[in-house]
Amino acid sequence: MLSLSKRVHEVWLVTLMAGFMSKNESKLKLYDMSDIIFRHFTWIENDLIKSKIDYDYDRDMIPVKVEKLSIILNDINLRLSTIELELIKLDDRDLAERVNSDIKYMRFLLSSLPEESVTAFNTQRKLDNIELNEEATDALTLFLFEESYKEYELIMIYNYLKANSTDAFLNRIFNILIDESFFHLKSFGDMMAKMGILGVPRVIHKELYKVTNVVEFLKDGINEELLAKEECKKLADAVSNDSQELAKFFDFINYQENYHIALMKEALEYYTKEKNV
């Protein structure tokens, strides 16, 4: 089951990357597929927990640099076919049948998607029709690389905490933060693809999500969100002369961080009272 979990993790990321690099209807279908596969991942994770199997989020490197969308679609199809064969390892047969059924439909959809040329790796660093000066372009590039990894990291950390908690109050907050990080990751990944600088987030060290001190984790998380707000504000200022639309977007992300901080403070207060720490 550990191998199965790892393979599902990898195909989820590959499908998400394919969504970033594709266009129009294909993008929407691939995003939907990636969302479904992530749910599969969490359900298989729950099966591991019920079976008392120690697990982590380690995975292999994922090569996604292609010039034609069909190449990565074929890769996804092969990965899904491998998972189909591994489903026999699942103890939960109802879950295995559900995942198998979803995979059969997704493999059919993959075969129906049109061919596209991929420009997500051309390194042109141009965003739609927005003309940014070199300083603003450098600032945006650095921000997108750092923040796309951070959002992937947060998805996995909060998912691990939620999966290993039975506390409904905390899990409600973790679930909101996961959803918010998914929105940010998709926004940043889409921008990276348009700029020709798309990259797969690096593997997360297990020390980051196997949290032993929740209080310190939440305090550090609040500080990180405060720093993220500052970075969003700096970036909004850097691009404001060239693009009010882009500046407004990063102001929008900045203001969203306020609620994330409020949620984490709420979780911190609740946890310290419940655990008397």
Side-chain angles (χ1 to χ4, degrees):
M1 287 205 299
L2 290 171
S3 172
L4 177 62
S5 175
K6 183 177 179 179
R7 299 300 164 232
V8 174
H9 184 175
E10 290 165 354
V11 77
W12 160 59
L13 263 183
V14 175
T15 307
L16 185 61
M17 293 296 118
F20 293 151
M21 66 182 75
S22 61
K23 302 174 182 67
N24 305 321
E25 187 177 350
S26 293
K27 179 182 289 291
L28 296 177
K29 288 182 177 179
L30 287 163
Y31 278 166
D32 284 345
M33 283 187 226
S34 71
D35 289 344
I36 291 169
I37 296 169
F38 186 78
R39 291 204 292 276
H40 292 169
F41 175 73
T42 63
W43 297 340
I44 293 167
E45 179 179 26
N46 184 61
D47 211 46
L48 287 166
I49 293 168
K50 287 192 297 183
S51 300
K52 300 186 181 338
I53 297 173
D54 186 37
Y55 70 97
D56 57 41
Y57 290 155
D58 189 27
R59 58 174 171 81
D60 293 338
M61 297 298 291
I62 300 173
V64 297
K65 192 173 181 180
V66 297
E67 294 183 355
K68 297 289 185 181
L69 186 64
S70 59
I71 298 173
I72 198 164
L73 297 184
N74 288 335
D75 180 49
I76 294 168
N77 188 37
L78 287 172
R79 290 174 184 272
L80 289 174
S81 67
T82 300
I83 289 169
E84 280 184 303
L85 296 174
E86 292 200 24
L87 287 173
I88 193 172
K89 301 173 185 177
L90 267 182
D91 293 334
D92 187 335
R93 299 317 302 162
D94 291 327
L95 174 56
E97 289 177 12
R98 163 60 193 269
V99 174
N100 186 62
S101 174
D102 286 353
I103 285 176
K104 288 186 185 308
Y105 180 64
M106 286 189 286
R107 292 183 68 190
F108 165 75
L109 280 183
L110 288 169
S111 67
S112 70
L113 297 181
E115 180 65 285
E116 295 179 20
S117 295
V118 173
T119 59
F121 309 100
N122 63 18
T123 67
Q124 288 188 358
R125 299 205 302 164
K126 298 289 185 183
L127 185 60
D128 295 328
N129 296 319
I130 299 171
E131 292 292 332
L132 298 176
N133 62 45
E134 185 175 356
E135 182 181 357
T137 300
D138 289 344
L140 179 57
T141 300
L142 180 61
F143 177 90
L144 290 175
F145 272 111
E146 290 181 345
E147 291 302 305
S148 63
Y149 170 70
K150 189 201 84 170
E151 298 300 346
Y152 166 69
E153 179 184 279
L154 289 176
I155 288 168
M156 303 313 294
I157 291 172
Y158 289 124
N159 183 72
Y160 189 89
L161 290 172
K162 186 181 79 167
N164 289 277
S165 170
T166 57
D167 191 307
F169 184 91
L170 290 175
N171 282 352
R172 177 187 67 86
I173 291 175
F174 294 150
N175 204 59
I176 293 171
L177 293 170
I178 291 168
D179 290 343
E180 292 285 275
S181 286
F182 260 115
F183 171 71
H184 289 184
L185 178 58
K186 286 182 177 178
S187 298
F188 300 152
D190 189 51
M191 293 174 73
M192 292 175 78
K194 289 178 179 178
M195 292 178 70
I197 56 171
L198 184 63
V200 180
R202 61 188 180 271
V203 177
I204 304 172
H205 295 298
K206 65 180 68 175
E207 291 79 9
L208 290 175
Y209 53 85
K210 293 196 172 188
V211 177
T212 56
N213 188 324
V214 176
V215 170
E216 286 305 312
F217 164 76
L218 290 170
K219 287 180 178 178
D220 290 343
I222 291 167
N223 289 332
E224 285 183 12
E225 294 291 352
L226 289 169
L227 290 174
K229 280 179 55 63
E230 291 180 14
E231 292 304 312
C232 280
K233 183 65 171 65
K234 287 179 185 176
L235 189 55
D237 291 342
V239 302
S240 61
N241 290 334
D242 299 316
S243 172
Q244 277 297 308
E245 179 182 353
L246 204 53
K248 291 293 184 184
F249 171 76
F250 286 110
D251 280 337
F252 161 68
I253 296 295
N254 174 23
Y255 297 142
Q256 288 189 340
E257 303 289 3
N258 291 335
Y259 188 53
H260 301 170
I261 292 168
L263 286 170
M264 296 176 77
K265 286 181 176 178
E266 188 179 357
L268 178 61
E269 181 181 3
Y270 172 82
Y271 191 85
T272 52
K273 284 182 179 178
E274 285 294 306
K275 303 298 182 180
N276 294 315
V277 292

